[in-house]
């Protein structure tokens, strides 16, 4: 998986990234655990991640990132016809 964008990290070293799954071409969240806990990596669809409980700061960070992206996309001028 390429083009991962980090959107959250914890004080213990866990990191969360937004990316596109190479096989399904769907948006996913990649969680990389901190090295001292084994550094396990999980991949979850964005919709599933946002519905997982309990909600943590990483959920709010992803929600903010997606909201900012939607706002930016709505401000872009429409493409010119060819």
């Amino acid at each position: 998986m390429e083009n991962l964008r980090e959107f959250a990290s914890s004080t213990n070293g866990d990191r969360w990234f937004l990316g596109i799954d190479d096989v399904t071409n769907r948006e996913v969240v990649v969680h990389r655990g901190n090295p001292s806990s084994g550094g396990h990596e999980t991949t979850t669809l964005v919709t599933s991640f946002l519905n997982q409980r309990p909600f943590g700061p990483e959920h709010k960070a992803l929600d903010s990132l997606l909201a900012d992206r939607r706002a930016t996309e709505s401000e872009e001028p429409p493409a010119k016809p060819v």
Side-chain angles (χ1 to χ4, degrees), residues 18-47:
L18 179 63
I20 303 289
D21 183 270
D22 296 331
V23 176
T24 64
N25 206 36
R26 294 177 73 181
E27 282 192 310
V28 294
V29 172
V30 175
H31 170 249
R32 293 185 180 153
N34 67 61
S36 62
S37 70
H40 299 287
E41 184 173 296
T42 59
T43 302
T44 309
L45 289 173
V46 167
T47 52

Side-chain angles (χ1 to χ4, degrees), residues 1-2 8-9 18 31 43 45 52 55 63:
M1 188 173 316
E2 296 180 26
S9 62
L18 179 63
H31 170 249
T43 302
L45 289 173
Q52 288 176 348
F55 294 138
D63 197 36

Side-chain angles (χ1 to χ4, degrees), residues 47-58:
T47 52
S48 296
F49 179 82
L50 289 172
N51 288 319
Q52 288 176 348
R53 301 225 193 298
F55 294 138
E58 62 276 8

Side-chain angles (χ1 to χ4, degrees), residues 6 8 16 36 45-46 58-59 69 72 75:
E6 185 173 344
W16 289 265
S36 62
L45 289 173
V46 167
E58 62 276 8
H59 290 85
R69 187 174 70 184
T72 301
E75 292 173 2

